[in-house]
């Protein structure tokens, strides 16, 4: 604790206070190569029920003009996300409810000789049944992509990394299993538009975004959250869907008018009408899981390959 009473600790305390968070604890951790990190536990001042883990390189200094605004924004967004019943849970466009856990920040250089920066983490299926299905992942950020990112630290990389994970799941390039090896998640410049100067993961229209909001509210509030409301205007979702927080709120209001969502400010809970569609959401979950399972060429399995 004494070693961690540094300028980093003081800066985090100030930034957290501005975001409506308080510093609960700080311990020393280790990064992938064993170098010391500072692990902060933060909680909302008004509702300490959920806490946020923030892990930074011990000597990292974000109190600079090019880094401070992003850190402040990250903590402000996390303060709102912590009001969700399951702040670690997300939904994919294909209909998979998942949690993202145990990420080992910050990024580290690849030990395999590849010209990439890597961070390890886990994805777990969250369908309300305590499913054992999960995937251990190694997200690899190319050196070219790293030039776009202000810093290879959690507050500056978590949003686009989580969205890259969701995109990779949507593409069926990750398999959720009971046990298995670590699977790759590529994080490349294909997810960034230099012309628009923003991250782009998926092109969606209003219909797809509306369906996403219903999926999110059903799973994260109705199934996992005992109908406690979830944050609809999440910038992380807006980036994933290539839209804006304002548009997500507008569409949620439309759904509230249709009797599917109970909207309070930026948060929504499912109505009985939405919950009545449980079978439809479960069918979509099964289809999304099927996409993640590898398929085989039956002729090759039978030895008929032309090789």
């Amino acid at each position: 604790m004494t070693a961690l009473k540094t300028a980093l600790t003081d800066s985090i305390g100030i930034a957290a206070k501005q975001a409506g968070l308080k510093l609960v604890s700080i311990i020393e951790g280790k990064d992938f190569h064993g170098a010391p990190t500072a692990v902060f536990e933060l909680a909302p001042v008004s509702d300490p029920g959920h806490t946020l883990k923030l892990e930074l390189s011990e000597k990292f200094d974000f109190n600079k003009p090019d880094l401070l605004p992003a850190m402040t924004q990250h903590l402000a967004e996390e303060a709102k996300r912590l009001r969700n019943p399951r702040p670690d849970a997300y939904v994919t466009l294909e209909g998979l409810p998942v949690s993202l856990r145990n990420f080992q920040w910050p990024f580290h250089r690849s030990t395999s000789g590849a010209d990439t920066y890597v961070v390890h983490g886990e994805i777990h299926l969250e369908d309300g049944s305590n499913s054992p299905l999960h995937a251990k992942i190694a997200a690899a950020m190319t050196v070219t992509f790293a030039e776009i990112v202000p810093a290879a630290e959690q507050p500056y990389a978590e949003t686009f990394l989580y969205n890259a994970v969701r995109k990779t799941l949507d593409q069926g390039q990750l398999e959720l299993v009971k046990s298995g090896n670590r699977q790759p998640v590529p994080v490349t410049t294909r997810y960034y538009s230099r012309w628009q100067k923003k991250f782009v993961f998926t092109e969606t229209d209003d219909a797809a975004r509306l369906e996403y909001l219903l999926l999110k509210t059903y799973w994260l509030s109705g199934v996992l959250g005992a109908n406690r409301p979830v944050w609809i205007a999440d910038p992380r979702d807006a980036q994933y869907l290539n839209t804006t927080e304002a548009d997500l709120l507008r569409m949620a209001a439309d759904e509230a008018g249709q009797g599917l969502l109970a909207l309070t400010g930026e948060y929504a809970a499912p109505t009985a009408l939405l919950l009545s569609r449980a079978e439809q959401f479960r069918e979509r979950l099964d289809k999304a899981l099927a996409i993640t399972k590898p398929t085989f060429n039956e002729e090759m399995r039978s030895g008929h390959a032309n090789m």
Side-chain angles (χ1 to χ4, degrees):
M1 286 291 293
T2 302
L4 289 174
K5 294 294 184 182
T6 63
L8 177 59
T9 306
D10 295 337
S11 297
I12 284 291
I14 294 170
K17 185 176 181 180
Q18 293 175 346
L21 300 170
K22 63 180 180 181
L23 184 58
V24 177
S25 67
I26 174 174
I27 61 174
E28 182 175 318
K30 293 185 182 299
D31 68 10
F32 182 81
H33 295 294
T37 62
V39 183
F40 300 91
E41 184 182 14
L42 304 167
V45 173
S46 58
D47 180 16
H50 290 134
T51 60
L52 163 70
K53 177 185 173 184
L54 182 68
E55 186 169 12
L56 300 167
S57 301
E58 188 183 34
K59 296 182 180 180
F60 177 65
D61 179 14
F62 69 84
N63 199 21
K64 299 177 180 178
D66 57 333
L67 295 177
L68 181 58
M71 172 66 83
T72 304
Q73 180 180 352
H74 174 78
L75 292 180
E77 291 173 2
E78 289 289 3
K80 291 187 175 183
R81 200 171 287 120
L82 282 172
R83 292 173 57 184
N84 286 344
R86 284 287 305 271
D88 63 333
Y90 298 84
V91 172
T92 72
L93 266 172
E94 293 297 326
L96 283 177
V98 295
S99 61
L100 288 89
R101 314 180 195 168
N102 302 327
F103 279 78
Q104 298 174 289
W105 298 101
F107 276 92
H108 61 270
R109 287 302 296 260
S110 171
T111 57
S112 66
D115 202 14
T116 57
Y117 296 90
V118 179
V119 66
H120 292 165
E122 298 175 7
I123 310 163
H124 291 257
L125 180 65
E126 300 289 350
D127 63 352
S129 68
N130 294 317
S131 171
L133 296 181
H134 70 286
K136 297 178 180 178
I137 63 167
M141 176 173 65
T142 63
V143 172
T144 305
F145 191 93
E147 295 174 356
I148 300 167
V149 182
E153 302 275 347
Q154 181 180 354
Y156 305 92
E158 189 174 75
T159 288
F160 72 73
L161 176 59
Y162 281 15
N163 286 338
V165 169
R166 287 197 277 184
K167 178 68 173 181
T168 308
L169 278 169
D170 287 334
Q171 294 172 326
Q173 294 176 358
L174 286 172
E175 184 183 9
L176 298 178
V177 294
K178 293 181 179 179
S179 64
N181 297 325
R182 204 170 291 279
Q183 302 174 55
V185 173
V187 185
T188 69
T189 51
R190 68 182 178 180
Y191 293 139
Y192 187 79
S193 170
R194 292 186 180 274
W195 175 63
Q196 300 179 73
K197 296 188 182 304
K198 70 174 187 177
F199 294 97
V200 179
F201 290 92
T202 305
E203 292 293 344
T204 57
D205 56 18
D206 274 6
R209 295 165 193 163
L210 283 169
E211 185 64 21
Y212 174 84
L213 292 179
L214 298 180
L215 284 164
K216 174 176 179 173
T217 307
Y218 172 78
W219 286 111
L220 304 193
S221 175
V223 175
L224 302 180
N227 289 350
R228 296 191 301 276
V230 293
W231 188 25
I232 288 297
D234 191 336
R236 192 163 289 177
D237 289 338
Q239 183 190 91
Y240 174 52
L241 302 171
N242 194 26
T243 187
T244 65
E245 300 97 287
D247 262 351
L248 292 178
L249 271 177
R250 174 182 59 82
M251 287 179 277
D254 290 342
E255 293 304 293
Q258 297 295 322
L260 294 170
L261 299 181
L263 190 64
T264 304
E266 296 184 351
Y267 293 78
T271 63
L273 181 58
L274 181 62
L275 294 175
S276 71
R277 299 184 179 182
E279 184 176 351
Q280 171 187 329
F281 292 122
R282 292 280 174 180
E283 288 177 356
R284 183 155 179 169
L285 167 65
D286 291 339
K287 290 179 181 178
L289 279 176
I291 293 174
T292 72
K293 295 177 181 178
T295 56
F296 300 93
N297 185 313
E298 293 300 327
E299 289 191 354
M300 292 181 66
R301 193 200 299 268
S302 302
H304 299 156
N306 182 18
M307 298 177 64

